[in-house]
Amino acid sequence: RSNVHEKDEIFGVVIKAQEWWKNNCLYLLPKSRAAFYNCLVFATNHRDYIDSHKRDRNNIKEIDDKIQDSWDIIVAPGKVIPQELELLAFEDQDKFFKS
């Protein structure tokens, strides 16, 4: 998140994240996997939405919506991953106590 607004730096971060993804995505639960992948795609392009906001003053509302949607997708893994882990832990706990 801290590098998403720096066009030159975000590519390096996304490349590292893609490498992590390649080696670890199978360990993520389905919603977390989707959230992480989508984050990579949108993090790469987020700065372009912001730049278009500065250039195109005719479609400000539409561009603002794209910027917000993009940001929501970028921060989603930070919300989805812990939620899925909590749910998984809770489900495992139920199985343990039912045995």
Side-chain angles (χ1 to χ4, degrees):
R1 288 183 350 188
S2 63
N3 290 301
V4 76
H5 294 102
E6 302 298 327
K7 191 76 169 169
D8 295 336
E9 294 176 24
I10 193 60
F11 289 117
V13 172
V14 168
I15 288 170
K16 287 180 186 177
Q18 286 174 331
E19 188 64 30
W20 185 92
W21 167 261
K22 185 173 74 174
N23 295 321
N24 298 288
C25 73
L26 291 176
Y27 301 113
L28 296 174
L29 294 167
K31 288 180 184 176
S32 297
R33 193 177 306 145
F36 191 91
Y37 181 80
N38 290 334
C39 173
L40 293 178
V41 173
F42 279 81
T44 303
N45 298 313
H46 189 73
R47 185 70 209 177
D48 293 333
Y49 292 135
I50 293 171
D51 290 343
S52 68
H53 185 274
K54 295 174 187 172
R55 288 189 311 267
D56 187 357
R57 305 308 281 170
N58 296 324
N59 298 315
I60 295 223
K61 172 70 171 119
E62 181 182 329
I63 295 168
D64 282 347
D65 290 346
K66 284 183 180 181
I67 291 169
Q68 186 60 55
D69 291 346
S70 174
W71 185 251
D72 291 345
I73 291 168
I74 291 167
V75 299
K79 297 174 186 174
V80 173
I81 293 170
Q83 287 173 350
E84 278 199 319
L85 290 175
E86 274 184 32
L87 181 61
L88 181 63
F90 184 73
E91 287 174 356
D92 284 347
Q93 192 176 43
D94 281 351
K95 290 175 190 173
F96 176 76
F97 287 116
K98 288 180 182 177
S99 318

